[in-house]
Amino acid sequence: RVSNMVSQFADSDAAKAMVENGDPLLYEFYGLDLPEDDAGVLQFGTTILYPGKVGDEYFMTKGHFHTILDTSEIYYCLKGKGMMLMETPEGDVDCKELNPGDAIFVPGRWAHRSINIGNEPLIMFFVYRADAGHDYGTIEEKGYRKIVVEKDGKPVMLDNPKWAEK
Ligand code: F6R
Ligand code: ZN
């Protein structure tokens, strides 16, 4: 929900107002109950990211690095229109569009956040090595270097005013 990510949206005041006004669901995700300590297992599932904006910024997932940094992931877009915003610890940034039928390879070392830039739920299939682990803390503390906002009806990538090099 928005309440779980208030500080991660550039416009925290808009986020707080939305929390007061029903605290909308941003996304949900589903996977099987597979062992999380087995490098031989592939975890897979579905993410459903709802359409909407906080201020001008599109609804997005928290985003994370994998704890075993060098583990990759594949996303496949089933429905909707989105973007996968990625960055490395060194500061390389990449953003790929997601339309139904597109597969995206998120290489090891790249943090990944999905963003819904359309008007319907963005539904994605994902698969990754089950023991990869999830590091949310780095993104929570520092934020992403870039944000994706709507400008003149189109998505544009801007520097994140909240990003801090720590
Ligand atoms: C797993 C993965 C996805 C995300 C899901 C929710 O490694 O990348 O299953 O976990 O799309 O996003 P986050 O994890 O950023 O809340
Ligand atoms: Zn991941």
Side-chain angles (χ1 to χ4, degrees), residues 35-43 68 71 128-133:
E36 288 175 14
D37 56 357
D38 189 338
V41 171
L42 290 174
Q43 175 62 280
I68 303 177
T71 48
Y128 61 94
R129 212 178 89 182
D131 67 339

Side-chain angles (χ1 to χ4, degrees), residues 48-62:
I48 304 167
L49 172 56
Y50 293 101
K53 281 178 292 174
V54 175
D56 294 333
E57 193 173 9
Y58 297 101
F59 282 8
M60 60 190 184
T61 60
K62 280 191 168 181

Side-chain angles (χ1 to χ4, degrees), residues 4 6 20 56 58 92 102 116 136 164:
N4 302 111
V6 168
E20 297 299 310
D56 294 333
Y58 297 101
D92 301 303
D102 290 342
N116 188 338
Y136 290 100

Side-chain angles (χ1 to χ4, degrees), residues 2-163:
V2 175
S3 56
N4 302 111
M5 286 179 63
V6 168
S7 63
Q8 295 190 51
F9 285 102
D11 189 343
S12 298
D13 289 341
K16 282 180 202 149
M18 287 176 83
V19 172
E20 297 299 310
N21 200 15
D23 193 11
L25 184 63
L26 295 170
Y27 64 99
E28 48 196 312
F29 58 101
Y30 301 91
L32 293 184
D33 192 15
L34 297 173
E36 288 175 14
D37 56 357
D38 189 338
V41 171
L42 290 174
Q43 175 62 280
F44 68 97
T46 310
T47 300
I48 304 167
L49 172 56
Y50 293 101
K53 281 178 292 174
V54 175
D56 294 333
E57 193 173 9
Y58 297 101
F59 282 8
M60 60 190 184
T61 60
K62 280 191 168 181
H64 57 265
F65 289 96
H66 289 160
T67 313
I68 303 177
L69 192 58
D70 198 18
T71 48
S72 59
E73 182 156 353
I74 291 164
Y75 279 77
Y76 182 77
C77 180
L78 296 162
K79 195 170 192 291
K81 195 170 174 57
M83 282 185 164
M84 187 64 70
L85 184 61
M86 298 174 272
E87 69 174 52
T88 64
E90 293 75 28
D92 301 303
V93 172
D94 197 6
C95 191
K96 298 250 189 293
E97 234 186 80
L98 279 164
N99 291 294
D102 290 342
I104 284 194
F105 179 62
V106 179
R109 309 193 85 261
W110 288 76
H112 37 290
R113 157 177 285 167
S114 28
I115 301 171
N116 188 338
I117 60 167
N119 301 315
E120 59 179 333
L122 173 67
I123 306 181
M124 298 164 294
F125 173 87
F126 58 81
V127 58
Y128 61 94
R129 212 178 89 182
D131 67 339
H134 295 86
D135 164 19
Y136 290 100
T138 306
I139 298 293
E140 262 165 18
E141 261 176 52
K142 294 175 57 167
Y144 259 74
R145 285 173 167 80
K146 301 285 180 185
I147 57 173
V148 178
V149 299
E150 185 179 88
K151 196 159 187 281
D152 301 325
K154 286 190 208 127
V156 288
M157 192 166 70
L158 303 176
D159 287 340
N160 182 358
K162 284 188 171 175
W163 185 75

